[in-house]
Amino acid sequence: MTASSEPGRGAGVTTSARRGGPAAKTSAAAAFALVFGVAALISVLTVILSWIGLLLGIIGVILGIVGLKMAARPGVTGRGVAIGGLVLSALAVLIGLAFAAGVTTFLNDQSAVDRIQREVDDLRDRLDS
């Protein structure tokens, strides 16, 4: 037999199964943190759904923290997944807050609102002509 036709040593067997212990499981909170982080970031970047993204990001941050604590337990993995979810969720929250602050500042600026109103009126006049 050639080396390429032989199965590798321990192929398909996890390290914990070789030791005879139970296989480590990924923390569900860490996995959900990553899912919520990705969904939050996509929602925030679509601008229209930014308030949903902000809410999903806050939930993702909480799940990321819980996932990190759960990953510290013996027999539970997912520390990297929890960190990834935490980072994406925190980024979504920051972008969402910045967007909300920008919109609020813009809408409170009367000259900017007047400028938009003039542009809308000009566009209506062009369409009517």
Side-chain angles (χ1 to χ4, degrees), residues 11-61:
V13 179
T14 61
T15 55
S16 60
R18 281 188 215 142
R19 285 185 250 142
K25 296 181 181 175
T26 303
S27 166
F32 279 118
L34 186 61
V35 169
F36 274 86
V38 170
L41 195 58
I42 290 171
S43 296
V44 166
L45 293 177
T46 59
V47 179
I48 294 173
L49 302 173
S50 63
W51 63 275
I52 294 173
L54 188 61
L55 180 65
L56 292 175
I58 292 169
I59 294 170
V61 167

Side-chain angles (χ1 to χ4, degrees), residues 1 4 6 11 13 17 26 28 52 54-55 77 84 97 115-116 127 129:
M1 286 178 79
S4 62
E6 293 179 15
V13 179
T26 303
I52 294 173
L54 188 61
L55 180 65
T77 62
L97 289 175
R115 196 170 46 241
I116 289 175
L127 287 175
S129 311

